Structure formats: structure tokens, C-alpha cells
Amino acid sequence: MTSVELDRDPYDLRTARSASGLLAKFNTAGVLTAADVHVATRLGRLGGDPAGELEEVLLAVALTVRAIRNGSVCVDLAEVGHTVLGEGEESVDVAALPWPAPAAWLAAVERSPLTAVGAEAASGHPLRLVPVQDGRSLLYLDRYWAEEELVRRELRDRAAAAQPVVDLDRLRAGLARLFDPPPDTGAVPAPPPGTDLQRLAAAVAALRRVTVLAGGPGTGKTTTVARLVALLHDLHTGPTPLRVALVAPTGKAAARLGESVGHHTGRLPAEDRARVGAPTASTIHRLLGRRPGSSSRFRHDRANRLPHDVVVVDETSMVSLTLMARLLEAVRPDARIVLVGDPDQLASVEAGAVLGDLARASGTPEPALDERLRSIGALAPDDPAVVHGVVTLTHTWRFEGGIAAFADAVQRGSADEAIALLRAGHPDLLFVESDLQVREPTGLDGLRADVVEASGALLAAAREGRTADALRGLDRHRLLCAHRRGPFGVTRWSQEVERWLGQAHPGFADPAPGERAGPWWAGRPLLVTGNDYDLGLYNGDTGVVVREHGVLRAVFGRPGDPQSFAPARVGGVQTVHAMTVHRSQGSQFQHVTVVLPPPESPLLTRELLYTAVTRAERVVRLVGSEEAVRAAVGRPVSRASGLRERLG
């Protein structure tokens, strides 16, 4: 084995001072944190070392704990030594680390009393080693294996069960009414682009227990949800009204879902509007009902199922494996589940990428489903069959031109095409090459002008009491960063924005009397950092302080329906001149500027770049280097999971 010299301060909090052997070497190199080491060491004490191979086993345990922390559900010991593990603060020279020989390492883990081997082995061991295709084996913490197995089993059982009984003539008529354009004089008009897939998704949701509605921003997912909910109300024949739950993983996403579905419902035919009523949405946690003192167990579970007939989950890419397991076991077996989201966006900050696994899993067609889809005209004879209930919308309605082409190139991993688009001079796609690590970066005049203009309009509206204009001003321009701190982070760029505003707008740093009260000042943009169910404010909501009738008020919501509060009632907020890309998920802004970190940043991934640029409706500006763009496009997030291939 190659030795690795100690190059970290022994008093650094990331250093496990009691570690020895392989754990100490991998901790010193920055692969393992102190927490990874301590968990592995504790399990080693509990399990013993009858075969004298504890050192290699504990390294496998620590790497599995690390994988969970970085979003993966499991590790493949045969491949982990060839994978750059650098989601920590420093890059790691993996070749210099003393990796055990894969075959012997796997055998040692398999012999360990800590490990249950195979999918059928009894639980009670902290680890589980599961053989998969191609002779590989995946190592799990047993809890995450159980959750992945629960999700797989629930999806399998719901697909194998008797599917909903539906009047096909009524379904055909409902699809025509809700998805076809109104007839015109003369020839029947062709459907708008993309509506054939929307119609197909609604038909699958009517005929199948589980549907996955995938698609990028602006592809009509929420429009489809509103129409398929109306369709399901029309098809419902039970003695009680159809019970529909609209949910999302965050409060902000839930509020936006309810608002958007309500907006699209208002444009439906009168009889469908009457059936649907006024849709509302909640978080998944609120739907399941939190138990006091528990962060992972809920009032509704397998023994106390949810009463709903239909559960629609928006922004499913942000749902972790654990939360998906809790939701699936709480939904009645005969209920419909519709999972909506973009599998190419950033996944949950916790372990798992369930939507991506579902959307990309291989599988075989369901002949009975295809036959019914073709009989109602939702699937043409030469269209590919639906697999796992997945329908992906492809036509973008929100933006086109340079933004759409660039997002597509990023999705496909074509760095050369992405760079060519950035240099092609598209008016909606700007590229500023600048060294952001210096104190005064060059080339930022355009960014500064956009910030000053957008923030100036916001300040003026807030000081003059024009609440609707102030709320609209929040979406004119947004600065997005991958990092929180450092030269590429939110903290630095928020300070830059305030400096620019102070120079451009006299009185910004020292407002007039009546425009400031402590930390509150007219025009201050706000970001909610925690859920306040009493006020109806949720983590990620944005608002602005407005001077209304001479009194400062914190205002949130939409311009047409603002929520106004005394600042003293609002807690858990911060000023938002810039935000992380993760926080921006689900939001849309007219203009977006993305601050790219250096190429070696482990946060710079294909999913992060795609998510950032698709927040823009009109113009996106990338600030950074060509090397950073190429690094992002060529670095897709790799979350280890056995769900995708086991579904296939």
C-alpha cells in the first residue's frame, strides 16, 4: 500500500484524531470526514473482527456513510477506487490512496458479521451487500437498502395490480374536450406542438396507478396536471367526490403548484371548473402529518393510509429516497400517483434520485395499457410504447432561441456546442469571461447595469408604496451562485450588489426617515429561510419591504394577491441580492446571471448549470471561464443507486 503523509492540521474539525490505519489515511487525504470515521469505528466495535479483516471492512463502512452524505444510496467497491470522490472541499488524488484489492476487499466485507448478503437475507445487520447485473455487488447501509426495496416493491406491486376501470368512451371524449383545440370552420386544425404528449400523459394517468410526467421548464407540466385532474374528476364514478392531493417537497413549491393549477383550472370549460373547484396544495410533510420528535416518521403510514384517490407530486426531483418511501407506503394501493418533475435538474440534497431512476429505467411495455391507449387515439400505431408509466414532455413554451439551444446542449453533454452557442452572439445568451478571484473583476459593466436598473426600480416602487410593482421587480433579475461563500459565493456577490447600489442610488445606504427601522428598510428584498405555517410563508419564498401609508410592511406573494405583514411578525428571513442555484429551483426570473465557480469546484456539475440557465425567461448571462463551462457540461452528477437497474 502507498502511504499518505499527514498534511492536515490535527486540530481541524474534519480530522479524526483517534483514527488509525486505512481510516486515518483516507481521512487525512480529505476523502472521509471525522463523522464517517467515527460511525465506521463504532460499528466495528459492535461487530467484532473474527476474520482479522476489520480494517478493510471499516473503510467500506466509512465510504458507504460518505456516499449517503453525498447523495448516493450505495457504493460499488469494485469501482469506487476509480471514481473521483471530490464532493468535499478539496480535490483528491485517488490514485495515491492505498485502496484494497477489489476482489479481496469484497470478500472481506461479505464475510464480516456486519454484513447481510443478498436481497433475501434477514435484516438486523448494519450493512447489506446485494449482487446485481454483470457480477457486481452494491454495498448499502441496511436502512437505505430497506427504503430502496420498499420503493421498488411499491412500484412493482402497483404496476402488477388490477389497473383502474375506466369508461373508454368517456375518457376519449374528455381528452378531446380538454386537450384538443376548438374546432374551426373548415378543416380540423392540427394540435399545437407538444399537446399530443400532454394528452398521452393524461391518458396514462387515467389508466394506470403510477404515472411519471417528466419534462424541462416550460414544457407544460402544470398545464397538463390541471387538465388531467379535471379529467379524473370527470371519470370518477364513486359515491363520494374524488379526493385529490396536490403536494410538493417544499412550501414554496407547494404554494406555486396550487397557484399555477388554480390559474390553469380557471381556463377550463365551465363544467370542468365546477368539478375541480378551488385546488390547494401542501408540502409532502404536511400531507403525511409529522410526528412530534421524529423527522422520518409520520401519522399516515402503512397502517393509517391517506384517504386520497389521487396524489400529484410536483418537483419530484427534489424528493429524497426516504421521503418517497414514506409517501408510497402511505398512499392507498388503489389510489393513483402522478410524479411530476424534471429529471435533469438538481436532485434532492438528501440521498437518492428517485425521479431520475424512474424516468431512465429500462423496461418492457405493458400490452394491456398500450392497447387501451391506442384504442382511444392517445398513442399512434407507430409511437413507442409507454414504459413504467413515463411520459416526457419535450416542447418548450417558456423560452426558445439561445437559452433553449444551450440548455439542450448541456443536457446532451455537448461542451463544444455549448461553447459555440455562447460565442454566437445570441441576444438572450450572454457570456462574460472574467477572473472572479481578483478584487475588481473586469467585464462586469453589463451585470452592474442590470443589477442597478432592476434594484433601482424595486427601490423606487417600495419607497412609493407601489406594492404590486415592487413584487414584480423581484423577478426582473436574479444573481445565482454555486457557492455560499468565497469569491464565487452568495456572500461576496451580495456585498458587491450593495456596493453598486450605494454608488448608483444616493440614500441607499442611509435611507430617509421613515424608510428604515432597524434592519428593515424600504426596498429590502427578502428570502424566507424557514417555514411559518401560521403566516403561510415557506422556506424559499421571496418578498420585499414596502413603505405603505408611511409604515414599513414585509410583503410576499403575487402582485395581484399580496400578503402584507408587520416586519416584527416575520422571522427567519435574510436579504436576497443573490442566491444559490439550489435555492432557485422552481423559480423563474426575466433575466438571470450565473456566477460560475472554477473548473475544479466539485459543485460545478451538468445538473447545476442546466438548472441555473433554465431559471431565465428572457436572458441568461454566464460569468466565468470557458474551462468552467466545459467542466460543468462534462461532469454529470453520478448518484449510485440500485433502483434504476432493478426496476428494469
Side-chain angles (χ1 to χ4, degrees), residues 308-628:
H308 301 87
D309 305 295
V310 181
V311 177
V312 180
V313 186
D314 195 21
E315 298 289 355
T316 310
S317 64
M318 299 167 64
V319 179
S320 67
L321 175 67
T322 298
L323 188 56
M324 183 61 74
R326 300 290 80 80
L327 178 65
L328 288 176
E329 67 179 356
V331 176
R332 292 184 355 229
D334 61 338
R336 291 179 174 91
I337 302 172
V338 182
L339 304 177
V340 185
D342 184 353
D344 293 311
Q345 282 192 21
L346 288 166
S348 166
V349 295
E350 299 178 50
V354 178
L355 181 67
D357 288 338
L358 276 170
R360 299 186 177 103
S362 60
T364 56
E366 302 169 28
L369 173 65
D370 282 356
E371 180 181 351
R372 294 205 285 177
L373 289 173
R374 296 184 198 283
S375 73
I376 61 174
L379 200 63
D382 55 346
D383 286 340
V386 174
V387 176
H388 297 309
V390 178
V391 179
T392 302
L393 307 182
T394 56
H395 180 77
T396 300
W397 304 82
R398 182 173 298 157
F399 47 69
E400 52 187 15
I403 297 177
F406 183 78
D408 179 64
V410 172
Q411 274 184 302
R412 292 184 284 103
S414 177
D416 288 341
E417 185 177 343
I419 294 298
L421 287 165
L422 288 176
R423 300 195 184 284
H426 290 282
D428 60 342
L429 184 63
L430 311 177
F431 185 34
V432 178
E433 295 184 86
S434 180
D435 183 1
L436 302 181
Q437 300 193 67
V438 300
R439 184 179 181 86
E440 296 286 347
T442 59
L444 301 185
D445 293 343
L447 169 59
R448 179 171 178 163
D450 282 353
V451 167
V452 168
E453 179 185 5
S455 296
L458 177 66
L459 282 168
R463 290 172 175 174
E464 296 167 10
R466 293 184 282 113
T467 300
D469 290 340
L471 287 172
R472 276 190 284 267
L474 288 170
D475 295 337
R476 288 185 61 175
H477 179 271
R478 185 52 49 89
L479 187 58
L480 301 181
C481 305
H483 294 185
R484 294 183 182 276
R485 290 172 291 275
F488 310 93
V490 168
T491 301
R492 182 259 177 101
W493 287 95
S494 293
Q495 293 171 349
E496 291 281 0
V497 170
E498 295 212 346
R499 183 170 66 88
W500 293 342
L501 293 178
Q503 294 171 350
H505 298 289
F508 171 79
D510 185 20
E515 293 179 357
R516 177 185 284 276
W520 305 93
W521 41 272
R524 179 190 177 193
L526 303 174
L527 175 70
V528 179
T529 57
N531 293 334
D532 188 330
Y533 294 105
D534 292 333
L535 298 184
L537 299 179
Y538 304 102
N539 187 6
D541 282 351
T542 54
V544 60
V545 179
V546 178
R547 187 185 183 193
E548 295 180 336
H549 308 294
V551 178
L552 294 182
R553 304 286 291 181
V555 184
F556 299 85
R558 295 294 181 183
D561 185 25
Q563 299 172 274
S564 179
F565 306 99
R569 296 187 62 197
V570 180
V573 295
Q574 64 186 39
T575 305
V576 57
H577 293 304
M579 65 167 51
T580 62
V581 177
H582 278 83
R583 278 218 185 257
S584 74
Q585 279 188 273
S587 300
Q588 291 295 320
F589 309 98
Q590 294 178 26
H591 293 215
V592 165
T593 296
V594 184
V595 176
L596 296 173
E600 60 271 16
S601 169
L603 297 179
L604 187 60
T605 64
R606 181 182 300 172
E607 288 77 7
L608 181 130
L609 180 58
Y610 170 80
T611 302
V613 299
T614 54
R615 298 311 92 203
E617 295 177 342
R618 298 182 183 176
V619 177
V620 63
R621 175 191 290 107
L622 296 180
V623 181
S625 66
E626 176 179 329
E627 293 75 17

Side-chain angles (χ1 to χ4, degrees), residues 73-88:
V73 180
C74 55
V75 293
D76 182 347
L77 296 180
E79 297 293 332
V80 69
H82 306 291
T83 304
V84 176
L85 301 172
E87 288 198 21

Side-chain angles (χ1 to χ4, degrees), residues 162-168 206-207 209 235-237 336 372:
Q163 297 304 302
V165 177
V166 174
D167 182 335
L168 294 183
L207 297 172
R209 297 289 179 201
L235 296 173
H236 183 65
T237 58
R336 291 179 174 91
R372 294 205 285 177

